[in-house]
Amino acid sequence: MTVVKSTLPEEALGVTGQALQDTLVDLLGLSLIGKQAHWNIVGPRFRSIHLQLDEVVTAARDYADTVAERAAALGVAPDGRPETIAATFALPGTKDGWLRDTEVVQLLVESLEAAIGRLRQRIEATEKADPVTQDLLIGITADLEKQRWMFEAENWPRDDK
């Protein structure tokens, strides 16, 4: 049943709908990673990273809402159910228990980097299908790249480089 009729042709809607759904899953999952790390971080940089994690969580949740609303506006029902996220989430996640501050920083760098890579693929896929959605994904990518940069700078200089 279609409640909202899309303004996009069927093929473009398929590409765009999939890009939006996959982005929604990544963003909701990223917000969960951030909160899990936020609750379990330990180490000398606890406070600053603890607060920085809240920025990522807030951004991911806000963007998730924007992405879901874009999908709905196009007639694609967004699916943010826990079982959907659990079944389809593909970014690096946290281990259980306490997390050392350096581990949290590395985890966020890796998770954000993976999310950015996936977003860049969707940006390319939506170029012709829906430039409006592409523009939304570009903006999200820019912000996540900023977040990744801030986390990567936390562990500099690294011993392995």
Side-chain angles (χ1 to χ4, degrees):
M1 166 175 78
T2 301
V3 175
V4 177
K5 182 171 176 10
S6 178
T7 57
L8 295 177
E10 193 68 31
E11 185 178 333
L13 181 61
V15 169
T16 303
Q18 190 63 56
L20 289 166
Q21 179 59 39
D22 292 345
T23 301
L24 179 62
V25 168
D26 283 356
L27 291 168
L28 291 173
L30 190 58
S31 75
L32 294 172
I33 288 170
K35 266 305 175 189
Q36 183 68 19
H38 174 88
W39 296 321
N40 288 286
I41 186 171
V42 294
R45 295 180 297 155
F46 163 82
R47 181 155 174 75
S48 64
I49 297 170
H50 180 82
L51 295 173
Q52 193 175 353
L53 288 164
D54 271 341
E55 292 176 24
V56 172
V57 170
T58 298
R61 288 179 177 169
D62 288 348
Y63 285 132
D65 189 52
T66 302
V67 165
E69 288 177 353
R70 176 70 184 151
L74 293 174
V76 176
D79 188 355
R81 296 172 300 152
E83 58 270 25
T84 301
I85 306 308
T88 59
F89 186 68
L91 301 179
T94 64
K95 64 179 186 175
D96 64 342
W98 302 112
L99 300 167
R100 182 87 182 151
D101 52 5
T102 53
E103 290 176 302
V104 168
V105 169
Q106 191 58 39
L107 169 66
L108 265 291
V109 168
E110 291 170 6
S111 295
L112 286 163
E113 189 170 304
I116 290 162
R118 292 165 56 85
L119 275 162
R120 287 189 171 279
Q121 291 171 349
R122 295 178 202 130
I123 288 167
E124 189 175 321
T126 57
E127 180 179 14
K128 288 190 173 140
D130 183 22
V132 175
T133 294
Q134 182 193 41
D135 184 58
L136 171 63
L137 299 178
I138 289 169
I140 293 168
T141 302
D143 192 42
L144 294 184
E145 286 177 334
K146 178 182 171 187
Q147 294 290 343
R148 185 194 168 281
W149 158 60
M150 291 179 165
F151 274 100
E152 189 171 45
E154 286 280 349
N155 274 352
W156 190 88
R158 290 184 6 205
D159 294 334
D160 64 335
K161 297 288 177 179

